[in-house]
Amino acid sequence: MTNIRDIAKMAGVSVTTVSRVINNHPYVSEEKVSAVKAAMKKFNYHRNINAVHLSRGKTHLIGVVVPFSNHPYFGLLIEGIANAALDHNYKLALIQTNYEETKEMEALRMLEDKQIDSLIICSRICAWDVIESYRKYGSIILCEDSRNDKISSTYIDHYKTFTMALDYLYEKGHHQIGYTIGRQTGANSSQRDAAYKDFLTRYALRYEPNYIFTSRFDVEDGVNVAEHLLDMKNRPTALLVTSDQVAAGILTGCRENGLDVPDDIAIMSFDNQPISKVMHITTLEIPFVEVGKKLFHQAVNGQEVSHEEIQVRLIERKTV
């Protein structure tokens, strides 16, 4: 296999000169550049980019972990990360986990093996102690509240935003409020659950387990929620939905089955994705693209730990 010394010998220059030409270093005469490039072409020589990264200690490659790549929530995060990466001449390695711990571990091992410079985890499945044990290999950035830990994050305070939404519905006259959620586990879900229980306690409202709908991720799941509401004798008067996609499904299912929104049931969601605008759903806007950009900048800032809270904004429409 041809190496850099072979190129130098054929071109009649030093190994250092060949290295400078390969890496586009200035101050090499045109004559020597032409001789080196001619030798490289003859030997069909291409530099080993892995060796270059190894020598520099940097790959300019950021790992991005998402559970699903086809969900608008994560799609917008990826858009923000990708735009920032493009602006700073970085590339991304996308790892989809489907919330399988083994897949997330593979991403962490990529960081350990120096295949990537940093790792952004948009939604975590591994335990905290596992994540923390890999910090020594490079920057790990989370999209959840990690203020009490030594891991950087850009996050939404889901306790605060859930409380804000519940109080808004209460002020609109709703005392029987349910909610839908994706995963039951995870820091964000725990914050929402705590906010809901504290809300009920503050206003002396009864806890109704059947007002909580779990494992709801997409439009079809929302339609199923609406069908379930039809069978409930004591249904909630309002639903707080953690995704515009699910809210759109609930609204569609209600309309198809004769439930009036908001007279029979009010719907309030999160995200302010395009589907909520089209269907006039009251929602709390989360600037996901901006979140993605902040996650990237934390990833390239090395091991310095930082935490950035993202603020949400109420968008009032017609479903409350």
Side-chain angles (χ1 to χ4, degrees):
M1 181 181 294
T2 304
N3 58 41
I4 195 170
R5 290 179 178 81
D6 298 324
I7 301 298
K9 185 177 180 179
M10 168 155 289
V13 299
S14 68
V15 170
T16 300
T17 298
V18 174
S19 178
R20 286 176 175 172
V21 172
I22 290 174
N23 293 292
N24 298 312
H25 197 283
Y27 312 121
V28 181
S29 69
E30 290 185 14
E31 181 183 356
K32 290 181 178 179
V33 170
S34 298
V36 170
K37 287 185 175 180
M40 289 173 64
K41 184 176 181 180
K42 181 173 182 178
F43 283 114
N44 194 27
Y45 176 84
H46 299 278
R47 66 176 179 169
N48 185 334
I49 194 64
N50 292 325
V52 173
H53 291 160
L54 185 63
S55 65
R56 294 177 179 175
K58 203 171 187 67
T59 67
H60 275 79
L61 184 65
I62 304 292
V64 180
V65 171
V66 293
F68 316 112
S69 58
N70 62 345
H71 194 288
Y73 177 106
F74 298 107
L76 290 170
L77 284 178
I78 293 169
E79 179 182 337
I81 296 169
N83 287 343
L86 186 64
D87 289 341
H88 291 81
N89 200 29
Y90 272 78
K91 293 181 173 60
L92 303 179
L94 184 64
I95 303 103
Q96 179 172 313
T97 66
N98 290 353
Y99 283 127
E100 295 177 19
E101 189 171 346
T102 55
K103 298 298 182 183
E104 192 165 295
M105 287 300 303
E106 288 176 9
L108 289 166
R109 283 192 287 270
M110 287 176 67
L111 186 66
E112 180 182 9
D113 294 339
K114 305 301 180 186
Q115 294 176 264
I116 53 179
D117 294 334
S118 304
L119 183 64
I120 299 171
I121 303 179
C122 295
S123 189
R124 172 178 60 88
I125 187 65
C126 287
W128 268 111
D129 58 341
V130 174
I131 300 294
E132 289 177 339
S133 69
Y134 279 85
R135 282 189 64 245
K136 59 190 173 186
Y137 301 116
S139 299
I140 299 176
I141 317 299
L142 300 177
C143 192
E144 64 180 82
D145 188 352
S146 64
R147 284 173 291 180
N148 296 327
D149 298 274
K150 296 178 181 179
I151 299 177
S152 293
S153 64
T154 293
Y155 66 94
I156 311 296
D157 187 331
H158 288 284
Y159 182 93
K160 183 166 69 178
T161 57
F162 223 62
T163 299
M164 181 194 308
L166 290 165
D167 285 343
Y168 173 82
L169 291 171
Y170 186 85
E171 290 167 6
K172 290 288 186 178
H174 296 285
H175 297 172
Q176 296 171 270
I177 304 171
Y179 73 89
T180 77
I181 201 166
R183 287 195 302 162
Q184 287 181 274
T185 58
N188 296 343
S189 298
S190 296
Q191 287 186 352
R192 290 165 177 151
D193 182 63
Y196 183 70
K197 289 176 178 176
D198 288 348
F199 165 79
L200 296 179
T201 300
R202 187 165 68 254
Y203 291 106
L205 302 175
R206 180 189 295 181
Y207 177 76
E208 298 282 357
N210 61 332
Y211 282 6
I212 301 173
F213 299 86
T214 61
S215 301
R216 311 294 169 163
F217 295 98
D218 54 31
V219 172
E220 186 176 350
D221 291 332
V223 172
N224 291 336
V225 169
E227 293 171 350
H228 186 74
L229 290 170
L230 287 170
D231 297 329
M232 295 176 67
K233 293 181 180 180
N234 181 34
R235 72 170 70 99
T237 63
L239 272 182
L240 183 54
V241 186
T242 56
S243 162
D244 285 337
Q245 297 288 311
V246 178
I250 296 172
L251 180 56
T252 300
C254 287
R255 287 174 174 172
E256 290 177 348
N257 291 283
L259 280 179
D260 185 82
V261 178
D263 290 342
D264 293 328
I265 187 165
I267 299 172
M268 183 176 184
S269 67
F270 286 82
D271 299 349
N272 195 31
Q273 295 171 13
I275 196 169
S276 71
K277 299 176 186 178
V278 171
M279 301 189 73
H280 307 289
I281 299 170
T282 295
T283 187
L284 284 173
E285 181 180 62
I286 301 175
F288 288 114
V289 173
E290 186 62 29
V291 172
K293 290 179 180 179
K294 289 182 180 294
L295 288 167
F296 171 82
H297 288 298
Q298 286 177 305
V300 298
N301 281 340
Q303 292 281 45
E304 181 182 348
V305 176
S306 63
H307 306 285
E308 295 202 38
E309 180 181 350
I310 299 297
Q311 303 300 319
V312 302
R313 181 168 67 102
L314 174 64
I315 307 294
E316 293 186 274
R317 296 195 178 106
K318 298 180 179 180
T319 56
V320 175

